[in-house]
Amino acid sequence: MSTRTDDDVWDVSSGPGLTAVMVAFARANETDSDDPLIRDPYARLLVDNADVGAWAAMLDPGMVAKMKATSAQTAAIIDHLSNYQVVRTHFFDRCTIDAMADGIRQVVILAAGLDSRAYRLDWPAGAVVYEVDQPGVLAYKSSTLAANGVSPLANRREVAADLRHDWPTALRDKGFDPTAATIWLAEGLLAYLTADAQDQLLGHIDALSAPGSWIGVETAAKHDRNRREDMWGPSKAMFGQLGFEPTEDLSALVYAGHERAVVTEWLDEHGWQATAQHSPDVMRRHGRWVDDVPLADDRDAFADFVIAHRQLSA
């Protein structure tokens, strides 16, 4: 059961915005590791300055070590979640870089959260990066980085809009050119949308995409409430052991995925050429799969990473 409502809003201290801080925490820890798969020099800054209330305890390396010590299963879950975020970041970084090499100069990051690609990737001349998200999330990121002397390396344009509503108008108002090839990134997004909202989002992307455009999208995993509890139940029990009382159930922020359109099929039916890579396969390729993670035997419990291309006109 989701705790979401049709018109809920958030910043980095609540709702999906809070999960953006958790993802940045994974990027920061990876960057500080001995042999990082990705490097995000600004993730730690964005995490340390975020007001997340009681959830700050989960951003303390000491607390993370205590959590992992509670049980082997909890340790496996923590390692899996961290590895997943790192591998996902690497995958969509590579997708963006490849699109730039293909000549694309217009980028739209949907539900940009605390993504710092506009600040850390090596952008070609003329690249314009549109970041679409809730106003409070975008304002926190840009103000925090600016206050610490960090400037974007591309022409970054904030689009403060709700992706469940008329965000295409807001995007155009910021200068988006629907006649130019675009790469769209939808990473960590679809699970936070209903099935109808997912279809609407893909429809907007399709309508705004010129020939030669790319899409990189993470699908929503499919597992019912009982199986989801297999994943999150141990974590909730562990919170009680450590005396931590979370202010929000993060697992309840996502919507069930069984009734959704299959992203690759939807895109293929609308004139795109889509391919999917199952996220556990990508994790194994990078040596980041955790064998003991719950639901490891359930293929539907893990997302796909999809890349699609719209062919150039004949």
Side-chain angles (χ1 to χ4, degrees):
M1 181 177 181
S2 174
T3 59
R4 306 288 307 287
T5 60
D6 289 343
D7 292 303
D8 52 341
V9 296
W10 56 86
D11 54 22
V12 295
S13 67
S14 61
L18 180 58
T19 69
V21 181
M22 302 300 177
V23 174
F25 182 59
R27 294 200 304 270
N29 288 341
E30 179 69 13
T31 301
D32 293 341
S33 68
D34 292 336
D35 186 22
L37 180 63
I38 57 100
R39 289 179 171 84
D40 184 346
Y42 309 116
R44 184 72 63 190
L45 182 64
L46 291 168
V47 170
D48 289 348
N49 285 277
D51 180 8
V52 295
W55 278 100
M58 298 296 101
L59 305 177
D60 178 350
M63 177 62 81
V64 173
K66 290 180 181 178
M67 289 190 292
K68 294 178 70 171
T70 60
S71 71
Q73 187 177 53
T74 298
I77 292 171
I78 292 171
D79 287 341
H80 167 76
L81 292 175
S82 178
N83 286 348
Y84 178 84
Q85 302 301 342
V86 169
V87 169
R88 186 182 73 176
T89 297
H90 180 272
F91 184 93
F92 289 104
D93 277 359
R94 188 72 256 171
C95 178
T96 305
I97 292 167
D98 290 347
M100 294 298 106
D102 196 41
I104 291 178
R105 295 294 180 269
Q106 185 165 252
V107 185
V108 180
I109 304 177
L110 301 167
L114 299 185
D115 178 279
S116 66
R117 290 187 174 98
Y119 296 84
R120 64 180 176 82
L121 293 186
D122 185 13
W123 296 99
V128 182
V129 180
Y130 297 90
E131 296 189 2
V132 188
D133 211 324
Q134 294 274 341
V137 175
L138 293 174
Y140 167 74
K141 176 167 61 179
S142 59
S143 63
T144 300
L145 293 178
N148 286 275
V150 181
S151 300
L153 302 178
N155 181 348
R156 175 180 175 269
R157 301 182 186 181
E158 293 186 358
V159 183
D162 191 314
L163 286 163
R164 298 163 296 185
H165 303 311
D166 185 21
W167 58 269
T169 295
L171 183 63
R172 290 191 192 94
D173 288 346
K174 291 292 185 175
F176 175 82
D177 180 3
T179 69
T182 302
I183 177 169
W184 305 85
L185 296 182
E187 176 190 8
L189 169 58
L190 296 192
Y192 298 95
L193 300 176
T194 64
D196 288 343
Q198 173 179 305
D199 287 346
Q200 181 184 65
L201 181 92
L202 292 174
H204 285 320
I205 293 173
D206 183 58
L208 292 168
S209 293
S213 291
W214 290 41
I215 296 176
V217 57
E218 174 194 15
T219 67
K222 298 179 180 180
H223 44 89
D224 61 27
R225 189 184 308 172
N226 291 333
R227 297 232 67 185
R228 185 182 302 172
E229 190 62 23
D230 291 342
M231 173 68 85
W232 292 106
S235 297
K236 294 173 183 176
M238 171 266 300
F239 289 158
Q241 294 177 39
L242 296 175
F244 172 64
E245 296 183 5
T247 54
E248 196 158 5
D249 182 356
L250 299 185
S251 67
L253 295 174
V254 299
Y255 291 95
H258 289 283
E259 74 282 9
R260 295 174 185 273
V262 177
V263 172
T264 51
E265 294 177 1
W266 192 101
L267 291 168
D268 286 342
E269 290 169 1
H270 288 78
W272 296 77
Q273 293 182 328
T275 58
Q277 298 184 46
H278 197 42
S279 57
D281 295 337
V282 183
M283 294 177 72
R284 289 186 180 97
R285 196 158 65 236
H286 291 290
R288 296 303 186 96
W289 178 250
V290 179
D291 286 327
D292 296 329
V293 69
L295 309 185
D297 62 334
D298 183 357
R299 184 175 181 84
D300 285 346
F302 301 93
D304 287 338
F305 299 153
V306 175
I307 296 178
H309 306 87
R310 169 159 280 173
Q311 286 189 326
L312 293 168
S313 301

